[in-house]
Amino acid sequence: MTLPISFFIALRYWRAKSADRFGRLVSNLASIGIMLGVCALIIVLSVMNGLENNQKQQVLATIPHAIISPLQGHIELSDSLPILPKEVQSAVAINSTDVILQSANAVSAGKVIGVQKETDDPLLLNFSASELQQLLPKGGFRVIISSQLAQQLKLQVGDKVRLMITENSQYTPFGRVPVQRLFTVSAVYFSPFENSTIFTELTDIGRLMRISTTQAEGYRLFLQDPFLITELSRSFPTEKWKIKDWRTQKGEFFQAVKMEKNMMGLLVSLMIIVAVSNIVTSLSLMVVDKQGEIAILQTQGLKHKQIQQIFIFQGLIVGAIGTLSGLLLGLILTLNLNHILTLINPYGIYLPIEINNVQIIMILVFSLLLSLLSTLYPAYRAAKTEPAVVLRYE
């Protein structure tokens, strides 16, 4: 295979042991810096992706991904489900509202979710179908609360707790008071991520919300990926449906996680930018060192464009070596990161890892593009060499 003359000369310059050892040292430092920058960026983004995905699976699994309800009226429980988009895994009828809980010893805030089956919420999967029917019978006005909430309100199974809905109120001789009713605690569930959700029978909470027993507030949607929540507006137009999603509860948390990931990526990217700047220095030194040879090549018939390509190719060789070495090292360290942490800390620290192929490609393109841009000025200076001036005293 015949190599372009510019690439061949650039390869010879890169392999040759130049008399300018400082220039060669700067070139090697550029490759090492790019390698370390790419490696660190892959590790940081993979860890941040894993942490974000882990939080998404654990935190968002216990709260409704989305609740859609008609703008006018309510849904009929006897009606069939609407046509669901591909992003939605399943849907169930739901009555949900914020409440104030009052026990004999304390007061707290919570969120009530009305359910019919144990599959209506992931937190209820530990209960069998028959067990849940006994715990939450229709018309029994019973609740299942979290262990944290039970401890805070000092409640046990069989105790009474008053639920007050501040959104709905009624007028009395004493003024306007919230709708309220006493419920019996029938069971306690444990969840490390959710401590304010309580469950009751669908129609029981519907009565407090002034919804008929044959109707419900709307549908609770379970998405394959909660981050696809923005796609729902295409299937459920806002002029017909009202959409409440997980962002009202956890949106700020995941926005902070995303911002932290972006800032970490930006800071580590600065390492690559600093390393790439060494390519400018090394090529500029080489242009000065090779002025005589550049002039001779021009007298032999090389055009200005070919002279530019020599130094562009050489800078790309340095950048490509550093980028590919950093890619290989980054993937190896990322895949074995938990084993390395085990050696450092025998007590064990587990970091969730998720390698995103799109991010890997973007890192490679970013590094190679910076390497290309760093060669433009030295290549331009080399092409501006005047053979008559350089060879005047040769």
Side-chain angles (χ1 to χ4, degrees), residues 322-346:
T323 300
L324 296 178
S325 301
L327 171 64
L328 182 62
L329 180 62
L331 291 177
I332 292 175
L333 292 178
T334 300
L335 294 174
N336 296 278
L337 187 59
N338 285 307
H339 297 290
I340 297 173
L341 291 177
T342 303
L343 297 176
I344 299 175
N345 185 1

Side-chain angles (χ1 to χ4, degrees), residues 77 93-97 99 112-116 132-144 160-161 163-165 168 179-186 198-217:
L77 294 176
I94 187 175
N95 286 326
S96 177
T97 183
V99 296
V112 175
I113 295 181
V115 295
Q116 293 178 305
L132 188 66
Q133 289 181 356
Q134 294 178 356
L135 294 174
L136 299 178
K138 188 174 182 179
F141 294 99
R142 298 183 180 182
V143 292
I144 299 176
K160 298 287 185 178
V161 60
L163 269 61
M164 295 180 287
I165 303 179
N168 291 342
V179 175
Q180 54 186 297
R181 188 182 179 95
L182 285 175
F183 281 72
T184 304
V185 178
S186 59
I198 64 177
F199 300 97
T200 186
E201 204 276 329
L202 181 70
T203 58
D204 286 354
I205 191 62
R207 292 180 183 179
L208 269 68
M209 297 171 65
R210 297 177 181 174
I211 298 175
S212 171
T213 56
T214 61
Q215 296 178 326
E217 176 190 13

